[in-house]
Amino acid sequence: MKKSRYLLLALAFLGFQTATQAQEKVITRGQEVSTNGNMPAVGAAAPEFTGTDKDLKEVSLSSFRGKHVILNIFPSLDTPTCAMSVRHFNEAASALDNTVVLCLSKDLPFAQARFCTVEGIENVIPLSLFRSEAFDQTYGLLITEGPLKNLAARAVLVLDPEGKVVYRQLVKNISEEPDYDRALESIK
């Protein structure tokens, strides 16, 4: 009886370790925090999700099949680094053939539209994740603790025209910009 109890305790402990190891770690405001899992791997099919556009219409990832898709994911446009990433991808997107850049955050669609109008952003598609449970559950980028809890971590994924991940970067420190050059090179 004692052996089975120890075995159950050992299995429970191993299960706990495996669950905690499955989470990514990022730094936000100087504090290391966890995400709710891991990003999709290179070579994997990108999980389906929908985002909400400026007209409050649901837009699915699959509607861009046949094109290269850059997912520029970040906590909020109301931060300098997030705004910079949208500006940078907006500029780069104008020179990309058969490519769409989706800028994804939990900002409300109205705030995203206002930002894009004020900044003259026309080459990217902002989509709000404020009601996208599928994204939160499958992309492993939801911050689970700390001051930015329930917002997305900063990351970039590049998908080929069939929807497979060809590049991924989780930016370890949220206040830093992603590696734009490597992301864009993965399309060529």
Side-chain angles (χ1 to χ4, degrees):
M1 188 67 150
K2 272 189 171 182
K3 283 185 181 180
S4 63
R5 227 182 295 172
Y6 286 123
L7 182 60
L8 286 174
L9 284 172
L11 289 172
F13 178 73
L14 287 174
F16 174 76
Q17 276 191 317
T18 302
T20 58
Q21 289 172 350
Q23 298 172 328
E24 301 272 8
K25 299 285 187 183
V26 294
I27 297 171
T28 176
R29 298 190 177 203
Q31 175 185 356
E32 186 177 75
V33 296
S34 297
T35 65
N36 67 327
N38 289 303
M39 293 172 54
V42 170
E48 180 64 25
F49 69 90
T50 59
T52 306
D53 73 7
K54 65 180 179 168
D55 298 319
L56 299 178
K57 293 182 181 158
E58 297 299 313
V59 178
S60 67
L61 176 62
S62 61
S63 66
F64 300 103
R65 194 71 28 97
K67 296 182 179 219
H68 292 277
V69 178
I70 299 173
L71 302 179
N72 178 30
I73 305 152
F74 49 87
S76 174
L77 283 169
D78 284 330
T79 64
T81 308
C82 299
M84 182 63 70
S85 74
V86 173
R87 288 184 200 108
H88 194 285
F89 277 119
N90 181 65
E91 185 177 319
S94 65
L96 300 173
D97 290 330
N98 197 38
T99 303
V100 62
V101 179
L102 304 181
C103 293
L104 306 169
S105 70
K106 288 207 174 185
D107 292 302
L108 292 176
F110 317 112
Q112 291 176 334
R114 183 178 59 249
F115 173 84
C116 289
T117 299
V118 168
E119 295 284 332
I121 305 287
E122 299 176 340
N123 300 317
V124 300
I125 299 171
L127 292 176
S128 176
L129 299 171
F130 82 110
R131 10 179 213 215
S132 183
E133 290 178 27
F135 188 88
D136 288 350
Q137 293 169 2
T138 60
Y139 277 77
L141 293 169
L142 188 69
I143 298 170
T144 60
E145 57 192 343
L148 298 182
K149 181 179 178 177
N150 292 330
L151 294 178
R154 183 177 319 289
V156 174
L157 284 104
V158 179
L159 314 179
D160 69 13
E162 288 78 43
K164 291 200 188 301
V165 177
V166 295
Y167 174 81
R168 69 182 210 138
Q169 178 194 13
L170 174 64
V171 180
K172 293 298 181 184
N173 188 329
I174 297 238
S175 65
E176 295 175 2
E177 293 180 68
D179 188 338
Y180 303 111
D181 292 337
R182 287 193 64 204
L184 295 168
E185 285 171 13
S186 71
I187 293 174
K188 298 174 183 173

